Amino acid sequence: MAFYGTYVLARSATPLPHVPGMRSAFGSRCMLITRHQEGWQLAGLMTPMHHEWPAIHGGPVPLASATGAPVLAVEIKESYCLQYGGATPDGRLWLAHFARAADNDKHCIFDHHDDSTVPLPAGVDVPANDLPGLADHLADWAAHAGLDTTAPRIAEAIGTHTNETALDGLVQALGLMPVETVYPAVELDDLDWWECWQRADDASVRVIQEWNARKRGRLRPLPGRPPAGADEFIRFLDRVADSMFGGGLTRAELRAEAARLLKTYPQP
């Protein structure tokens, strides 16, 4: 099954989902966090929730500033297109693109300027499948991060992988060893609040529909009313996200809040 999502490698004592700049760049749908030595964390995220997309624009730069350490982000689309972005705390950013489509003399079908967690600036394009260039970028990034590796070692490890396996090879080439894997304590679509999540997702979809309409120059509101309690249901999704990796509300508190919302806003 094809994967859409982003992997983020950063160094922080705080769990990455709670670091400023993480959610606004990569969203809240964190699947797991793999902890490595010296505070390094690799977070795997699915695509952002619909209502988060209007705020997704910063890429790894704000997170590097917040953590005071280099950050690497790799956005994967359909398990064959990888968009790399590396940032340092001083605001420097590099971007690289690797896509299996280019192996067949075809252009990548994805637009990396918009609706992307590792976005390209307007008017900027990055050549695909420049493995030596990508390895050089990654080796330079690793040097700033204090990780001992070389460009040839990185190139050999990631090869021409254009799916999630590239991350496995890269982490090993950087000399990072997994210490612990942390899974979320609760899920956004947990069975304890499944109906509430569905209502929240409907409201979230409307947000992105309105955003896309505005981008196309449509000034009139979309037909039909927003779902009842839309803002509160979306706020509930954000509170669940706050609770996935420590902090936030307990399962019982989230269950009670979901029940309150469903009672306050019964289905029309």
Side-chain angles (χ1 to χ4, degrees):
M1 186 174 182
F3 174 76
Y4 287 80
T6 305
Y7 282 87
V8 180
L9 180 64
R11 186 167 55 194
S12 173
T14 303
L16 287 181
H18 298 310
V19 176
M22 181 73 174
R23 183 177 297 185
S24 61
F26 308 110
S28 303
R29 299 175 66 195
C30 191
M31 303 176 293
L32 56 82
I33 300 170
T34 306
R35 296 184 182 274
H36 298 76
Q37 72 270 31
E38 298 181 1
W40 285 98
Q41 301 178 45
L42 179 66
L45 303 98
M46 293 187 289
T47 54
M49 293 185 284
H50 302 294
H51 70 275
E52 293 178 318
W53 274 113
I56 301 296
H57 62 275
V61 172
L63 189 58
S65 177
T67 60
V71 171
L72 177 68
V74 185
E75 183 177 19
I76 303 173
K77 292 181 181 291
E78 210 172 84
S79 292
Y80 81 76
C81 170
L82 276 66
Q83 178 74 12
Y84 290 80
T88 49
D90 60 6
R92 286 193 296 168
L93 171 71
W94 59 263
L95 298 162
H97 182 203
F98 219 86
R100 190 173 68 233
D103 295 337
N104 299 321
D105 296 323
K106 299 177 182 177
H107 294 292
C108 177
I109 65 172
F110 297 107
D111 179 5
H112 293 282
H113 299 86
D114 201 5
D115 300 345
S116 177
T117 57
V118 185
L120 292 175
V124 174
D125 287 304
V126 178
N129 294 15
D130 177 10
L131 181 58
L134 172 59
D136 285 342
H137 278 310
L138 288 168
D140 183 64
W141 178 89
H144 282 89
L147 299 171
D148 184 17
T149 190
T150 64
R153 187 188 308 168
I154 291 172
E156 181 179 3
I158 63 177
T160 57
H161 293 296
T162 55
N163 58 21
E164 306 88 300
T165 59
L167 273 296
D168 297 331
L170 175 58
V171 168
Q172 292 179 23
L174 294 173
L176 294 173
M177 300 296 294
V179 174
E180 177 190 19
T181 300
V182 183
Y183 295 93
V186 296
E187 300 283 354
L188 294 168
D189 56 352
D190 199 292
L191 288 177
D192 279 358
W193 45 82
W194 173 260
E195 185 179 350
C196 193
W197 173 80
Q198 288 183 310
R199 299 279 298 277
D201 193 54
D202 288 343
S204 185
V205 168
R206 185 177 177 92
V207 170
I208 196 171
Q209 288 174 336
E210 292 176 343
W211 179 55
N212 283 324
R214 288 194 299 271
K215 286 194 299 181
R216 293 193 297 268
R218 182 189 177 104
L219 302 180
R220 290 180 298 174
L222 292 179
R225 294 181 179 180
D231 291 342
E232 286 201 62
F233 280 106
I234 288 174
R235 193 174 301 116
F236 175 77
L237 273 187
D238 291 334
R239 298 183 79 177
V240 176
D242 288 339
S243 309
M244 291 170 67
F245 291 92
L249 302 180
T250 65
R251 176 182 292 275
E253 290 170 330
L254 289 169
R255 192 164 51 233
E257 175 62 8
R260 183 192 70 81
L261 285 175
L262 293 174
K263 182 178 180 180
T264 304
Y265 303 102
Q267 282 281 19

